[in-house]
Structures are given as C-alpha cells and as structure tokens.
Amino acid sequence: MAYSPKKLNGETVYRNEVFQTGLMSQLLDGIYDGEMSIGELLGHGNFGVGTFNGLDGEMIVLDGNCYQMRHDGTVVPAGLDQQTPFAVVMNFVPTIRRGLPNNIIRKSASQVLDDFTVSKNYMYALKIVGDFEWVRTRTVQKQTKPYPKMVEATENDDIVQFDNVRGTIVGFRTPIYEQGIGVPGCHAHFIDDDHEKGGHVIDFKLDNAYVEICLGTDLRLHLPLTSEFSGANLSPEDLADQITKAEKHA
C-alpha cells in the first residue's frame, strides 16, 4: 500500500517500517536463541543492529551487508545461515542530512540530534559517518548454556577504544514507551570503513562527521516460537535498571 507524504511540524515525512525480531526484555532474561536467520533478516531491511544466537557478539547491518563484531573488537562478515535472537532493521531512506559539530562527545551529539527530529514519539534510524578522534566500544562474549541473565553476561565486558578512525555509527533512537520491546534512547554500533573493527558504542568524540536520519513510523514485531521465550519473564520490576546496566549507557 502506497502512502502519501505528510507534513509534520514543518517537515515532509514518509511512512517507514521498522522490523524487529525478539525483545530486549527477552535478552535481559537470558533468552539468547532465536529462529530467524541472517538471510531472512536481510529480507526485511538493509540497515540495523542486533546480536547473534548465544549472544555471540554484536551485529551491524550496513548497505545490505551483515557483520559480526567480536569480543576483541574485530569484525567478520556474518553467514546467512547464522541466527539471531534480537535485531532491528529497516530499509534506510534518509530524509534529513546535517553536519555535526566537531569535538563533541556522545552526550552532546545526542542533544544536537534531538533538534533534528520532528518528535520524540517516533523511532529514528541514524547513520553518523565521518572521522572520529576516538570511539569506545564493547562487545559481548558468546555465552554457553545454561545462559546467565544479560546483566551478568555483560558485567565483565572489556572496553575497546579506536583512535583516529573513520567509520560509521548505525543506531536507532527509540521512544521511552518502547522500553522492554527495544532499548529506550539511542542504541548504536560502530564499524570502521575497512569493516575490520567495531562494537557497541559506549562513547565517541567527533572530528568531522555528518548524520543522516530516517523516520520510523511503523513497527513490525517477530517473536520466536520457542519454549524458552514462552516462559521468559518479560516484565521484571527493575526493567529500566537492568537495561541501563546491560547497555552500559555513558
């Protein structure tokens, strides 16, 4: 079905579907296996982030290619038959492109990006491209069964810093009301231009970069049909605290 563009707060916007398999609250409960292959996932989007079965590193989807970022910060192409318990992708068609101030860190960049969006009530796919004075990342290690809860699985992750690097940050800004479905705020991964190093973004300092933004208006959820998922605790009382600890927000 074709949708006509709309005017929203002075900006022309289009409907774009965000596809997600699995839930953040599922990962928090230690449910790290899903049914969707990377080949299937790429049929739903050319841009995104996620992880792999067993929490085996971080995932980045860029320009229709999927990469696996490992615990030591190295990157390898993902196999199409690998599976994911959690990933968020979309077909990236940006309508906003802006230069970003030099010498700002993640917290300041987040405030700048807020000024570029039409409302906090939608999802946004973000692509920051350029030179970074440094990028600090971490990547989860593959877990073995019985799987620990995510807070335990990520508590000893090493921080890896890349200095004077050119690359791309792929991220999603998610509204607070999606807490537990996704990661509220900005969930972002980094990959360098040579596709050799990257990880889950903890912080960065820009040198010379720009951002492209794609509004997400429709969310399509794919939930795993597994006994583990059906028995998961998806609404713990300390959900917000668990997300903050697991994601290690700077």
Side-chain angles (χ1 to χ4, degrees):
M1 181 177 180
Y3 292 98
S4 300
K6 302 280 188 180
K7 281 288 186 180
L8 186 63
N9 296 334
E11 297 281 350
T12 300
V13 298
Y14 299 82
R15 285 201 169 273
N16 296 291
E17 181 180 276
V18 176
F19 176 88
Q20 178 173 318
T21 183
L23 303 174
M24 182 60 191
S25 56
Q26 159 199 337
L27 296 184
L28 293 174
D29 201 44
I31 311 302
Y32 302 147
D33 292 330
E35 308 169 306
M36 177 161 285
S37 71
I38 300 307
E40 293 174 295
L41 180 70
L42 293 177
H44 295 283
N46 60 11
F47 180 95
V49 296
T51 188
F52 297 87
N53 275 12
L55 217 62
D56 189 10
E58 308 287 347
M59 176 197 299
I60 194 166
V61 177
L62 182 62
D63 299 326
N65 297 303
C66 184
Y67 302 93
Q68 183 176 11
M69 298 178 286
R70 299 180 294 196
H71 183 65
D72 61 358
T74 60
V75 174
V76 294
L80 296 181
D81 58 346
Q82 287 182 258
Q83 293 182 314
T84 174
F86 177 84
V88 186
V89 298
M90 73 183 307
N91 287 314
F92 189 72
V93 185
T95 56
I96 297 172
R97 188 180 190 275
R98 300 280 193 278
L100 293 172
N102 294 343
N103 302 315
I104 61 172
I105 61 174
R106 176 176 176 166
K107 184 176 181 180
S108 301
S110 181
Q111 295 168 351
V112 172
L113 292 173
D114 283 343
D115 294 336
F116 297 158
T117 58
V118 296
S119 167
K120 293 183 178 180
N121 295 333
Y122 297 100
M123 299 164 285
Y124 296 91
L126 308 171
K127 180 165 74 169
I128 299 176
V129 181
D131 299 308
F132 297 81
E133 183 173 324
W134 48 261
V135 182
R136 293 181 189 136
T137 70
R138 60 94 173 151
T139 302
V140 293
Q141 280 188 304
K142 184 177 181 179
Q143 303 297 303
T144 56
K145 293 182 177 180
Y147 293 141
K149 299 294 180 67
M150 193 175 186
V151 170
E152 299 171 32
T154 59
E155 65 181 353
N156 294 317
D157 287 347
D158 294 330
I159 303 297
V160 179
Q161 179 166 314
F162 307 115
D163 294 317
N164 300 314
V165 62
R166 183 171 179 81
T168 301
I169 288 176
V170 169
F172 283 87
R173 290 178 71 80
T174 301
I176 298 298
Y177 62 74
E178 280 194 50
Q179 180 169 268
I181 296 175
V183 180
C186 190
H187 180 196
H189 293 174
F190 171 80
I191 190 168
D192 75 322
D193 276 2
D194 293 327
H195 303 156
E196 294 178 348
K197 50 195 176 187
H200 174 96
V201 175
I202 300 298
D203 202 357
F204 57 78
K205 187 175 182 181
L206 297 178
D207 189 5
N208 180 32
Y210 65 88
V211 63
E212 293 182 338
I213 303 175
C214 180
L215 174 72
T217 57
D218 302 3
L219 177 62
R220 181 180 173 189
L221 276 176
H222 173 276
L223 302 180
L225 291 171
T226 64
S227 57
E228 291 82 6
F229 181 86
S230 67
N233 178 12
L234 302 179
S235 54
E237 292 183 0
D238 61 343
L239 177 61
D241 289 341
Q242 286 194 47
I243 291 176
T244 298
K245 291 176 182 176
E247 291 297 304
K248 292 183 171 64
H249 290 314

